Amino acid sequence: MTAAARFLASLRRAGRPMVLKRRIGTTSTYIECAVYGRARGYQPTELAGGVVQGDRRIRISQIEIEAAAWPGPPKKSDYLDGGAIQGAEPLYDAAVLVGFVCWVRG
């Protein structure tokens, strides 16, 4: 089992289904991708650099994004689990991209 497959398996065990959405241009139309994610709130010591109480950290898998032919990595203007993505960082296992950690507000 690859590192990316192990990461996805852990999300399916401990996470829950979520929807990743991106607006198409300036229309009110969105493209959507079903993903498993694991969310947690930020700790009080992590509330810095724009992170506010109520923001969440959500981990999602690259395998599901790639399988859905999603147009690139998650970015600030996307939505995840009903909240607006404020930022996303790639998550690696050694040199293998396994997923993303998204900072979500709302």
Side-chain angles (χ1 to χ4, degrees):
M1 184 180 282
T2 67
R6 283 192 309 271
F7 181 66
L8 177 57
S10 73
L11 288 176
R12 290 195 174 178
R13 275 192 314 273
R16 61 183 172 79
M18 298 180 179
V19 176
L20 178 63
K21 294 171 60 171
R22 180 172 290 171
R23 183 183 302 248
I24 298 173
T26 57
T27 69
S28 60
T29 306
Y30 291 86
I31 56 171
E32 295 184 355
C33 172
V35 296
Y36 270 82
R38 183 160 185 199
R40 76 163 182 86
Y42 283 93
Q43 299 298 313
T45 57
E46 297 173 304
L47 300 179
V51 178
V52 298
Q53 189 171 7
D55 286 356
R56 296 172 289 155
R57 227 178 117 154
I58 302 176
R59 292 176 173 225
I60 58 175
S61 170
Q62 169 63 13
I63 288 177
E64 292 178 313
I65 292 170
E66 193 174 295
W70 187 259
K75 60 183 184 178
K76 184 172 175 151
S77 58
D78 294 342
Y79 296 89
L80 178 60
D81 194 36
I85 294 179
Q86 303 298 302
E89 292 182 9
L91 182 62
Y92 290 91
D93 183 338
V96 178
L97 176 64
V98 295
F100 296 92
V101 179
C102 301
W103 164 26
V104 178
R105 179 164 294 151

